Amino acid sequence: MPICVEFHCYKVEILLTWKYCSSSVRRKLQVLEQERVNALLDERERAHADVDKLRKEHELRSKEVSKQVARTEREKQRLDKEKRKIDMGKSSLNMASIEQKKGDEDLLRLIEEQRVIYNFA
């Protein structure tokens, strides 16, 4: 019976019946199977290493993002505090402006009264 062996990546397709194989062919098949198993184990180890590396990178990035969020929150609080101060200043300036307008109106009214009283034209 002929032996047909094809290699596809790490997969070995063997088309024969085990009981018709000679001992040397069986040993060869066992070696091939062991090589395939070893290759799969190596691939598995590489995959685990890749996953561990990605997990560590993710953890580091997560810590960096957490720190950035904390910095952003502190900066937001600082800016909110500064905005409140500015708003209070604007409010004070608006009140002062209103008082100034009232004073100007009172002054204009007094000047007009003085004109009327003293007949200044």
Side-chain angles (χ1 to χ4, degrees):
M1 174 172 258
I3 299 173
C4 177
V5 178
E6 295 180 25
F7 292 93
H8 298 284
C9 294
Y10 298 108
K11 183 179 177 186
V12 178
E13 292 182 12
I14 301 172
L15 303 174
L16 53 86
T17 305
W18 184 259
K19 80 179 197 178
Y20 294 114
C21 293
S22 66
S23 61
S24 64
V25 171
R26 285 183 185 180
R27 271 183 295 213
K28 226 175 217 192
L29 290 174
Q30 287 172 341
V31 168
L32 288 173
E33 185 61 23
Q34 187 61 45
E35 288 174 358
R36 187 178 75 82
V37 167
N38 289 340
L40 288 172
L41 290 174
D42 290 344
E43 185 179 337
R44 181 178 170 268
E45 287 299 317
R46 281 192 300 273
H48 279 291
D50 289 345
V51 167
D52 285 342
K53 181 182 175 189
L54 289 173
R55 182 185 49 78
K56 288 176 184 176
E57 288 174 1
H58 180 266
E59 287 174 0
L60 286 174
R61 183 67 181 136
S62 179
K63 287 178 184 178
E64 289 174 16
V65 168
S66 295
K67 288 178 184 178
Q68 184 64 33
V69 165
R71 278 194 294 269
T72 301
E73 187 60 33
R74 285 192 304 269
E75 184 67 13
K76 181 181 179 284
Q77 290 172 353
R78 185 188 68 76
L79 291 173
D80 285 345
K81 185 177 179 180
E82 189 174 324
K83 184 181 180 289
R84 282 193 300 273
K85 284 182 183 178
I86 290 170
D87 289 345
M88 286 174 51
K90 282 172 60 176
S91 177
S92 296
L93 287 173
N94 286 339
M95 290 174 63
S97 177
I98 291 169
E99 291 298 319
Q100 182 70 39
K101 283 181 184 178
K102 284 182 185 178
D104 290 347
E105 289 171 0
D106 288 345
L107 180 62
L108 289 174
R109 188 178 40 77
L110 285 173
I111 290 172
E112 190 61 36
E113 287 176 4
Q114 293 296 320
R115 275 190 201 166
V116 170
I117 291 174
Y118 295 109
N119 289 325
F120 292 126

